[in-house]
Amino acid sequence: MPIAATARFRRFSRAVTREVGALDTSFLGRGRPLGAARVINAIGRGRSEVGSLREDLGLDSGLMSRLLRGLEEEGLVRTHAHPDDGRRRVATLTEEGEREFRAYEELSEAQAAAILARYPHREALLAAMDLIASALGRDRLSLNEIDPRSETARDCLGQYYAELARRFERGFDVARSRDPDALDMIRPRGAFIVALSDGLPLGCVGVKGTGGESAEIKRLWVAPSARGLGISRQLMTAAETAARALSIRVLRLDTSSALPEAVQLYRKTGWREIERFNDDPYPDVFFEKQL
Amino acid sequence: MPIAATARFRRFSRAVTREVGALDTSFLGRGRPLGAARVINAIGRGRSEVGSLREDLGLDSGLMSRLLRGLEEEGLVRTHAHPDDGRRRVATLTEEGEREFRAYEELSEAQAAAILARYPHREALLAAMDLIASALGRDRLSLNEIDPRSETARDCLGQYYAELARRFERGFDVARSRDPDALDMIRPRGAFIVALSDGLPLGCVGVKGTGGESAEIKRLWVAPSARGLGISRQLMTAAETAARALSIRVLRLDTSSALPEAVQLYRKTGWREIERFNDDPYPDVFFEKQL
DNA sequence: ATATTTATCTGACTTAAGTCAGACATCATG
DNA sequence: CATGATGTCTGACTTAAGTCAGATAAATAT
């Protein structure tokens, strides 16, 4: 490792903890100690079982318990036994707790906006932040099957089309391509999978079913900031698993020699190149895989 | 502001505080509370007056005092009165304190290396980190006059030459260019100034004197990760100030139309384009400024 | 020379955070 | 249904961090 690398890393670490770290350690001025504020936020984000809360926040069970009692007394949280296991407890926010959670969210948004407003070249700064967040958080990636008509899915697809437009010499027009019908990518015919990191979509893939034993892989995309982290491979594995669960026996896909990384990936993961099987004007390479 | 910007920022902030922030809040396993460790590090980095220590670490004077007493008892720190002002106190590390400081540095380096080792595409990751650190730390930039033969200066110049080689169509060879003699960029003939952010050099500029009333500006360079933050302008201002202090009345410089940002900057800051004044093969634009 | 300001220090607090041992109820298993 | 394991809770601690009101001594102003 070159000597300078750690120096650069440490400079980054200092700059960030000074400017950004304060954000996470601040109580955001709501008159509540950090621990309690963190619990409210964790519950607000969907962590509800006490055990997983504890793990998430890295707290001792005694401390966790006391924090929850405190929030209960404040009227922000209610706890009840887990329906399947009376030992475990589940915490939920009361209406007032929800309000408090939203107040924290708004303050946090406002702080983020205030910090960003201070710097020029915001897009470059954000792109660098995306890259770092993706690299650091790569083991926290979650693959979720969602509705291809949902906002998250449309967000991914929009970025996918924009990228194709940039990559193809003649541009790309969705209308001219065979846009898979959304219903073909919903169970039981097919599936649509997104890779989420901390809520932000970083990639997607669709399995477009026909109702029979064959299906097509469509719309494989990974955000530029998250490339090189093996996300496309994870997405493809998830897509194949989903296809198997749908009793699909053979998968096909079309792609383009203008996307060499994609072609490479398919070659390396057991796909066999086949003859053209459609008359879509954009693709010029075709693959098949038996499951 | 687009809605997504704050979400991206917050994702970054979470990822970073989780992975990197822990570095700064950890005691690095030396059996000493964080506060004391931070004091050792601040002194080791050259903060010695108690007042500036306090400001740097953001501590109450009582707390600061107690931390210093603790470290004195441990035999790591010695304090004595400031020679010019008996009220102020100056803290220095004892030999044992120095050892302790180096131990912290080594642990911190090792942690940085361990984190970096986990990620592929290290150069891209580090470039993103540089960009962010420069943006966040831009008000912490310090301009220092140093010896052009020092390691820091040679580091800057090396990057400068590498950049020229990339930018010029025919490449760049230092030997073919009129490399300013280092002695001409040291007082009393001239000066060499670097911009340091948290110890890392982000830019440089040289004032190459002749011994008379005129001098040349040479080697203006800013690290790619730190462009667009106004550093070159700050460097030029510092160079002009240094030139005035050396009783120089007229500054000249040569540059190239292959470096449009530089040409732009000179035009905007009171420089007048003049005729070619040397036969260096690389430059094709020439400027002059009366001080 | 005296009064005021400034930099640091000391003592007496508070608060947040975290640890540990044991209590208690519930679940899984023979 | 007895047994041990599991998840949560309570009480009794410790430690780190930080606050605040003076005390003290040196510097500066009047």
Side-chain angles (χ1 to χ4, degrees):
Chain A
M1 157 148 352
I3 321 162
T6 53
R8 290 163 75 188
F9 177 84
R10 289 178 66 197
R11 181 172 89 102
F12 165 76
S13 152
R14 274 193 295 270
V16 157
T17 41
R18 197 172 40 232
E19 302 287 322
V20 180
L23 216 155
D24 238 52
T25 22
S26 88
F27 321 178
L28 296 169
R30 307 228 90 222
R32 194 172 287 113
L34 179 59
R38 293 214 303 150
V39 172
I40 293 176
N41 280 289
I43 300 178
R45 282 160 188 284
R47 285 264 161 294
S48 56
E49 285 192 34
V50 172
S52 79
L53 269 172
R54 212 165 52 215
E55 170 141 352
D56 215 50
L57 302 171
L59 300 177
D60 170 90
S61 72
L63 185 48
M64 182 78 247
S65 180
R66 245 180 291 275
L67 286 171
L68 282 174
R69 284 309 79 66
L71 292 171
E72 273 184 328
E73 268 170 45
E74 268 196 89
L76 303 178
V77 164
R78 239 193 312 270
T79 63
H80 47 89
H82 191 287
D84 300 346
D85 182 345
R87 291 168 304 180
R88 289 189 279 168
R89 308 227 87 207
V90 179
T92 49
L93 293 179
T94 62
E95 256 182 58
E96 209 188 321
E98 286 284 356
R99 264 201 301 282
E100 202 58 25
F101 170 64
R102 279 195 303 272
Y104 276 115
E105 285 290 295
E106 272 164 36
L107 283 168
S108 187
E109 285 282 324
Q111 277 219 16
I115 292 183
L116 282 175
R118 294 218 304 269
Y119 305 105
H121 306 303
R122 199 171 65 220
E123 198 38 54
L125 189 65
L126 284 169
M129 289 179 169
D130 284 345
L131 183 99
I132 289 170
S134 295
L136 297 186
R138 118 188 108 127
D139 24 297
R140 307 216 158 216
L141 199 76
S142 75
L143 299 175
N144 306 62
E145 197 174 323
I146 64 168
D147 191 313
R149 294 161 301 186
S150 66
E151 200 188 336
T152 306
R154 286 213 314 276
D155 183 16
C156 287
L157 293 173
Q159 294 192 60
Y160 171 74
Y161 297 139
E163 166 126 18
L164 288 188
R166 274 194 307 276
R167 295 284 278 266
F168 287 141
E169 270 178 37
R170 298 162 297 154
F172 177 78
D173 177 10
V174 192
R176 292 191 56 206
S177 184
R178 306 184 315 139
D179 194 35
D181 187 347
L183 285 177
D184 287 343
M185 299 200 291
I186 297 178
R187 286 177 191 261
R189 291 175 75 86
F192 188 79
I193 298 163
V194 287
L196 295 178
S197 155
D198 217 348
L200 207 77
L202 292 186
C204 67
V205 67
V207 178
K208 184 199 171 197
T210 54
E213 288 197 331
S214 74
E216 253 185 87
I217 295 289
K218 302 293 289 182
R219 310 296 178 237
L220 176 65
W221 169 80
V222 173
S225 71
R227 290 183 190 160
L229 300 170
I231 294 180
S232 53
R233 196 179 282 244
Q234 285 183 58
L235 281 167
M236 284 300 286
T237 308
E240 290 176 24
T241 308
R244 274 196 204 87
L246 295 168
S247 310
I248 286 161
R249 308 289 297 279
V250 53
L251 281 172
R252 299 193 301 181
L253 63 83
D254 60 30
T255 184
S256 161
S257 48
L259 307 168
E261 323 87 281
V263 174
Q264 267 267 306
L265 171 70
Y266 301 134
R267 288 229 169 84
K268 276 198 284 189
T269 52
W271 289 76
R272 193 170 55 83
E273 202 167 337
I274 55 171
E275 291 292 300
R276 171 182 279 276
F277 61 79
N278 65 30
D279 53 3
D280 193 315
Y282 297 105
D284 58 1
V285 191
F286 300 80
F287 284 98
E288 182 177 281
K289 187 173 190 174
Q290 307 287 334
L291 294 181
Chain B
M1 158 145 355
I3 320 162
T6 52
R8 290 163 75 187
F9 176 84
R10 290 178 67 197
R11 181 173 89 102
F12 165 77
S13 151
R14 274 193 293 271
V16 158
T17 41
R18 196 169 44 228
E19 303 287 323
V20 180
L23 217 155
D24 238 52
T25 19
S26 88
F27 321 359
L28 294 170
R30 307 226 91 223
R32 194 173 288 111
L34 179 59
R38 292 214 304 153
V39 172
I40 293 176
N41 280 289
I43 300 177
R45 279 159 189 288
R47 284 265 160 293
S48 55
E49 285 191 34
V50 172
S52 78
L53 269 173
R54 212 167 49 213
E55 171 138 351
D56 214 50
L57 302 172
L59 299 178
D60 170 89
S61 73
L63 185 47
M64 181 80 246
S65 181
R66 245 180 291 275
L67 286 171
L68 283 173
R69 284 309 78 69
L71 292 171
E72 273 185 327
E73 269 171 45
E74 268 197 88
L76 302 178
V77 163
R78 240 192 312 271
T79 63
H80 46 87
H82 191 285
D84 299 346
D85 182 343
R87 291 169 302 182
R88 288 188 279 166
R89 309 226 87 210
V90 178
T92 50
L93 293 179
T94 62
E95 257 183 56
E96 209 189 320
E98 286 283 354
R99 263 200 302 282
E100 203 56 27
F101 171 64
R102 278 196 303 275
Y104 276 116
E105 285 291 295
E106 273 164 36
L107 282 168
S108 188
E109 285 282 323
Q111 277 219 16
I115 292 183
L116 283 175
R118 293 218 303 269
Y119 305 105
H121 307 300
R122 199 170 66 220
E123 199 35 57
L125 189 65
L126 283 169
M129 288 179 170
D130 285 343
L131 183 101
I132 289 169
S134 294
L136 296 186
R138 115 189 112 128
D139 25 295
R140 307 215 158 217
L141 200 75
S142 75
L143 298 175
N144 306 63
E145 197 176 321
I146 64 168
D147 190 314
R149 294 161 301 186
S150 66
E151 200 190 332
T152 305
R154 287 213 313 275
D155 183 15
C156 287
L157 293 173
Q159 293 193 60
Y160 171 74
Y161 297 138
E163 166 126 18
L164 287 188
R166 273 195 307 276
R167 295 283 279 265
F168 287 141
E169 267 179 38
R170 298 161 300 154
F172 179 78
D173 177 8
V174 191
R176 292 191 56 208
S177 183
R178 307 183 316 140
D179 195 34
D181 187 349
L183 285 176
D184 288 343
M185 298 200 293
I186 297 178
R187 286 177 191 259
R189 291 175 74 89
F192 188 80
I193 298 163
V194 287
L196 294 179
S197 156
D198 215 349
L200 207 78
L202 292 187
C204 66
V205 68
V207 178
K208 184 199 170 195
T210 54
E213 287 198 331
S214 75
E216 255 184 83
I217 294 290
K218 302 292 290 180
R219 312 292 179 239
L220 176 66
W221 169 79
V222 173
S225 69
R227 291 187 188 156
L229 300 170
I231 294 180
S232 53
R233 195 179 282 244
Q234 286 184 58
L235 281 167
M236 285 301 287
T237 307
E240 288 175 27
T241 306
R244 274 197 204 87
L246 295 168
S247 311
I248 286 162
R249 307 289 297 277
V250 53
L251 281 172
R252 299 192 301 180
L253 64 83
D254 61 28
T255 183
S256 161
S257 49
L259 307 169
E261 323 86 284
V263 175
Q264 267 268 304
L265 171 69
Y266 302 133
R267 289 230 168 85
K268 275 197 283 189
T269 53
W271 290 74
R272 194 169 55 83
E273 202 166 339
I274 56 172
E275 290 293 300
R276 170 181 283 273
F277 60 80
N278 65 30
D279 53 3
D280 193 316
Y282 296 106
D284 58 0
V285 191
F286 300 80
F287 284 98
E288 183 177 281
K289 186 173 191 173
Q290 307 287 336
L291 293 183

